[in-house]
Amino acid sequence: MCIFFGASSSPACANYALRKTAHDNKDQFDVEVIDTLLNNFYVDDCLRSTSTEEKVTSLAQDLIDICGRGGFRLTKWVSNSKSVLESIPLSERSAETKVLDFDESLPSQKALGML
């Protein structure tokens, strides 16, 4: 399948190819991985959360693996968990994020009696 990016049909073609990848590989991956492919992608963005960092780390690796089977390369990974991001190769992480280190002592100010 060849997808022409920028054409008005590109999102539908990408969605079809992603769904086909999920269906073609449903017997080799956990149902949560297949469900994520089918229900948590909007065009080329995936938004998914899990209850633990271990689960999302495993899910991320499985998504990389299954998408690779369909000819997709997942990139621009972002997470609010440092350990999850460290499990993703640096080359696949988003370069456009801001690092906020809340472990540092930030200045505080009172407003309306609240700190």
Side-chain angles (χ1 to χ4, degrees), residues 31-84:
V31 70
E32 186 175 20
V33 176
I34 302 304
D35 181 66
T36 300
L37 280 182
L38 295 175
N39 298 308
N40 293 99
F41 275 82
Y42 177 75
V43 186
D44 62 349
D45 291 324
C46 178
L47 182 61
R48 176 71 186 209
S49 65
T50 64
S51 57
T52 67
E53 290 176 333
E54 292 79 21
K55 282 179 79 172
V56 77
T57 299
S58 174
L59 179 61
Q61 187 57 56
D62 286 343
L63 287 170
I64 290 169
D65 292 345
I66 193 171
C67 286
R69 291 181 184 198
F72 293 95
R73 181 175 151 226
L74 296 181
T75 61
K76 298 182 183 176
W77 285 86
V78 177
S79 176
N80 63 345
S81 166
K82 191 173 187 177
S83 67
V84 171

Side-chain angles (χ1 to χ4, degrees), residues 93-108:
R93 298 183 209 163
S94 176
E96 301 171 2
T97 58
K98 303 280 187 229
V99 176
L100 299 176
D101 187 0
F102 290 112
D103 291 334
E104 293 180 3
S105 180
L106 298 174
S108 61

